Amino acid sequence: MASFSKKEKLKSKKLIEQLFVEGKSVKAFPIRLLYTKCEFDDVQFKAGVTAPKKKFKNAVDRNRVKRLLRESYRLNKHLLFNNVEGNFAFLFLYLGNTMPNAKEVDKAMTKLLEAFIKKESHEKSDQ
């Protein structure tokens, strides 16, 4: 059973700022993933989600987009556990202009996580 517990949520303001400054990025439209390697004691990954106020004026719509992103991450994070070494902080940014449905978010999330795994395994082999 997949869960997204409180420990796995990215809440540190400092860490979020660090993601924007020195984080690496992967994109699978309409989602962009900012990530950086970190050290956590309790979990392997911490994740946060965001939707732009500029494109979704109503808080209800922004919250819906964020809920879809969180749920999609929760269902697909199993892809990461056996394929990635180290601890990471993730921030999922929604880039689309229209309200997504669960199916398209799920498809993009799967593509995005696979792209992340591919990118990380390449960087690991380059070192």
Side-chain angles (χ1 to χ4, degrees):
M1 189 174 116
S3 67
F4 188 47
S5 67
K6 194 173 183 178
K7 279 189 262 181
E8 295 176 70
K9 291 185 171 71
L10 179 64
K11 296 181 190 161
S12 163
K13 216 172 195 166
K14 215 187 280 181
L15 203 50
I16 292 169
E17 283 171 18
Q18 185 185 334
L19 274 167
F20 280 105
V21 174
E22 56 194 58
K24 296 175 188 150
S25 163
V26 180
K27 195 168 34 177
F29 192 80
I31 308 170
R32 182 170 163 217
L33 168 64
L34 290 175
Y35 66 94
T36 187
K37 229 174 170 77
C38 298
E39 286 305 315
F40 305 123
D41 300 330
D42 47 0
V43 290
Q44 192 177 358
F45 305 108
K46 286 196 182 226
V49 296
T50 178
K53 197 171 190 174
K54 200 172 195 171
K55 294 177 183 170
F56 298 98
K57 303 278 188 234
N58 297 332
V60 174
D61 295 337
R62 279 194 308 280
N63 291 339
R64 169 118 180 102
V65 170
K66 292 190 288 189
R67 199 175 305 120
L68 287 169
L69 287 171
R70 272 193 298 268
E71 179 65 3
S72 183
Y73 170 71
R74 183 185 75 82
L75 294 172
N76 292 304
K77 72 179 180 181
H78 65 86
L79 297 169
L80 300 169
F81 285 108
N82 298 328
N83 301 317
V84 179
E85 289 175 29
N87 296 357
F88 287 92
F90 295 137
L91 187 62
F92 296 97
L93 305 155
Y94 186 75
L95 305 173
N97 294 321
T98 57
M99 180 60 73
N101 62 25
K103 197 176 272 178
E104 59 189 48
V105 170
D106 209 47
K107 202 164 139 188
M109 183 68 73
T110 308
K111 234 196 273 181
L112 190 68
L113 292 177
E114 285 168 356
F116 164 74
I117 292 165
K118 202 171 179 182
K119 192 171 178 179
E120 269 311 298
S121 61
H122 278 297
E123 285 177 15
K124 193 145 190 82
S125 61
D126 292 345
Q127 291 175 347

